[in-house]
Amino acid sequence: MAEVAALLGTAAAQHASVKHPKSGTGAVVDVVKDAYGRGDKAAGGGTPAIFVQSSNLETRLAEIWAWLASSQTPSVNLEQYARKLAAAGFTLKFISQGGLDKSCLKKMDAHIPAAHVKLILRAAEELKEKSQMCSAVSETRTVTITSYDMTLVSVDDVASEFTIEFGFTMEWHIDPLPQFIHASAEVEEDPQTAWKPDLVYVNAVSVPEPRAEHIVRKGETVYYTYLGKGTFREILELERFPFDRQLLHVEICHRKTQSLHFINSLSSPPTMLSQQTQWECKDPTIELFSKDKIYGTPGFFFVGKVQRKPAFYMWNVCFPLFLIVALSTLATVVPAEDISARLGLTLTLFLTATAFKIIITNYLPRTNYLTLLDIYAVVSFVLLALMGLENAIAYKLRDVPCSSSSSCGRLLDIAVVEVGGLLFIALHAVGLVFSYKDTFRVPWDKLDELQEGDSTVE
């Protein structure tokens, strides 16, 4: 690279005497009209191709570059042209395998005449046996993540998936260009042809949908911005549902095995918003890893921290079940002798609770373990069943005297209403206080430990 750059520098020093062929002056020796078997007048609207008669092929290539640098066509952006050549595969490997490829020409900027591109590629063909080639861009090794933001669109508890809109910016440095090519202040590159990290979204359900993608080069620094939307898989921790917290991971790694590593250098704190009112978002984080277990390449996690707002489930699930259980105590108002009426009321409430549970099943996560809400529903059914058992026992004890004024069956009804009812209400009051103090929630550090065993990285 240094040797070829020196050659280019030498040619650049000579370019003061190299004039555009339209001028008709200068120290350019005879133009070879058919240097490679044909005349080419496509460049510059009738301008013949320039081939300086140099015996050394590297010098010839350098002189061609110098002529382009001294071109009188202001629209020719040599820096952008040089980088596009490298991005399009202007290397020994490309030339030795495919030679002059038309698809390569299509990737060039429209301002560059096709004949100029062919000039460089033709000269390069003769150098395909060389060990090195003038390349305007060296292989990028370090990519710095400078910012990222996330917006939660939805969380599917049943499918264990979440959908987010996300955006991030990266930057990396490239080798300086030869001195005779003047760097532009800012150039926007084509994301389809310019070099960028070949990112793969490991836990994506499908390839994320890009909303916007920009690559801007300022001097020797390239800035890459990506905005997209995707659905990702996540093992949700739902044991504390509906007081659950989730760490939503977007796992991204480099697809290729080339030497590349990522650096976390955020210029501003990341943010995370939610389009759903039932989720509260905390500040997201980023975690780097050295090796993905699937691809074996370095990468990083975007980690969104969210916690569910339980009000919807407390009012629409817990509160109706609470009322059903509380109403079952009304069976004690019916005389113990009327067992059919008492059991009829209790069984009706039990069937009501069962139908209610079936209806709300579609709104609850399906897990192979009991969540907090599942436990509450199970306890409610157990209490209704115990209330039916109490009705039967009170009927059996209706004629057994326990005091001068009451039978044992009546005293059992009083104990269920006064002692059991007060205890039932008190437990709900305590639980309500604890729910607003996040007592039922798993601490963030503990949640990270629970999900660590599910990681696919080292």
Side-chain angles (χ1 to χ4, degrees):
M1 177 68 183
E3 180 181 354
V4 179
L7 289 170
L8 291 175
T10 302
Q14 301 172 351
H15 88 277
S17 62
V18 181
K19 301 295 183 179
H20 194 280
K22 287 185 178 180
S23 63
T25 61
V28 179
V29 294
D30 295 338
V31 175
V32 181
K33 183 178 180 181
D34 197 10
Y36 289 90
R38 72 179 193 88
D40 193 342
K41 295 186 178 183
T47 302
I50 297 299
F51 291 95
V52 180
Q53 289 182 334
S54 299
S55 58
N56 185 281
L57 293 177
E58 289 93 338
T59 304
R60 180 185 300 178
L61 180 59
E63 287 170 337
I64 294 173
W65 276 105
W67 173 76
L68 287 172
S70 63
S71 172
Q72 296 177 353
T73 307
S75 62
V76 175
N77 186 326
L78 288 177
E79 182 185 12
Q80 187 175 12
Y81 173 40
R83 297 200 187 281
K84 284 181 178 291
L85 281 174
F90 183 52
T91 61
L92 277 175
K93 181 179 179 181
F94 166 78
I95 294 167
S96 63
Q97 291 179 351
L100 184 60
D101 192 340
K102 292 182 180 180
S103 64
C104 179
L105 302 180
K106 293 180 181 179
K107 298 178 182 178
M108 300 299 106
D109 193 286
H111 295 297
I112 305 298
H116 291 183
V117 181
K118 293 178 181 179
L119 269 174
I120 302 301
L121 291 178
R122 281 180 177 176
E125 275 190 290
E126 297 189 21
L127 295 173
K128 63 183 178 181
E129 302 299 330
K130 300 290 183 179
S131 60
Q132 279 192 328
M133 186 81 181
C134 175
S135 177
V137 180
S138 67
E139 186 178 7
T140 304
R141 300 293 183 181
T142 301
V143 175
T144 303
I145 305 169
T146 56
S147 68
Y148 76 96
D149 298 287
M150 307 169 69
T151 299
L152 181 64
V153 178
S154 64
V155 177
D156 189 339
D157 298 321
V158 177
S160 292
E161 298 173 354
F162 66 95
T163 302
I164 62 165
E165 295 177 349
F166 62 100
F168 58 84
T169 59
M170 297 178 174
E171 64 180 57
W172 55 86
H173 295 283
I174 53 180
D175 288 348
L177 290 166
Q179 294 181 356
F180 72 90
I181 298 180
H182 301 288
S184 304
E186 180 175 323
V187 176
E188 184 168 351
E189 302 281 0
D190 183 0
Q192 302 300 322
T193 58
W195 187 94
K196 61 185 177 182
D198 189 7
L199 301 179
V200 55
Y201 298 84
V202 180
N203 62 327
V205 176
S206 58
V207 178
E209 173 188 353
R211 300 293 181 86
E213 194 174 14
H214 300 283
I215 297 180
V216 177
R217 176 174 42 78
K218 298 180 180 179
E220 299 174 12
T221 305
V222 178
Y223 301 90
Y224 175 53
T225 302
Y226 180 89
L227 299 175
K229 178 180 179 180
T231 301
F232 301 87
R233 300 180 183 89
E234 183 63 87
I235 299 178
L236 303 178
E237 300 295 336
L238 297 169
E239 290 185 0
R240 304 294 181 94
F241 177 87
F243 302 96
D244 55 312
R245 287 172 168 168
Q246 304 296 339
L247 296 179
L248 305 179
H249 294 79
V250 177
E251 184 179 352
I252 305 174
C253 71
H254 194 244
R255 189 187 303 272
K256 300 178 181 178
T257 57
Q258 69 183 96
S259 177
L260 183 146
H261 64 278
F262 296 94
I263 295 178
N264 177 15
S265 181
L266 299 179
S267 57
S268 60
T271 59
M272 184 172 185
L273 304 175
S274 176
Q275 295 182 3
Q276 290 191 332
T277 57
Q278 72 176 98
W279 290 99
E280 179 183 357
C281 299
K282 303 295 183 180
D283 291 337
T285 60
I286 185 171
E287 300 176 3
L288 305 178
F289 57 84
S290 59
K291 187 177 182 181
D292 180 84
K293 291 183 179 180
I294 299 176
Y295 292 89
T297 55
F300 51 91
F301 285 114
F302 289 144
V303 185
K305 296 182 177 181
V306 298
Q307 63 182 25
R308 196 187 307 267
K309 298 178 181 179
F312 173 83
Y313 296 95
M314 293 179 66
W315 285 108
N316 294 280
V317 179
C318 295
F319 185 65
L321 288 176
F322 169 81
L323 291 180
I324 291 174
V325 174
L327 288 174
S328 67
T329 60
L330 294 178
T332 60
V333 177
V334 180
E337 291 80 6
D338 194 356
I339 184 62
S340 60
R342 295 185 66 162
L343 288 178
L345 175 59
T346 302
L347 290 175
T348 299
L349 292 173
F350 190 92
L351 293 176
T352 301
T354 302
F356 178 73
K357 182 65 167 61
I358 294 174
I359 293 174
I360 66 174
T361 298
N362 293 330
Y363 300 94
L364 303 178
R366 300 172 185 176
T367 64
N368 58 356
Y369 52 84
L370 292 178
T371 66
L372 277 180
L373 190 59
D374 291 331
I375 294 175
Y376 183 87
V378 170
V379 171
S380 299
F381 280 98
V382 170
L383 292 177
L384 288 173
L386 290 177
M387 196 63 202
L389 180 62
E390 188 277 338
N391 293 336
I393 296 175
Y395 174 75
K396 289 292 184 180
L397 299 178
R398 69 186 184 280
D399 296 328
V400 178
C402 285
S403 65
S404 57
S405 58
S406 300
S407 64
C408 291
R410 184 56 185 167
L411 291 179
L412 179 60
D413 289 340
I414 295 173
V416 168
V417 173
E418 294 182 359
V419 178
L422 290 176
L423 182 61
F424 182 70
I425 294 174
L427 288 175
H428 279 78
V430 173
L432 188 63
V433 173
F434 283 171
S435 66
Y436 282 99
K437 290 187 176 182
D438 289 342
T439 305
F440 296 128
R441 299 190 187 275
V442 179
W444 290 111
D445 55 348
K446 181 65 175 178
L447 182 61
D448 192 40
E449 294 177 3
L450 291 175
Q451 293 187 339
E452 185 176 359
D454 302 322
S455 177
T456 62
V457 302
E458 297 178 357

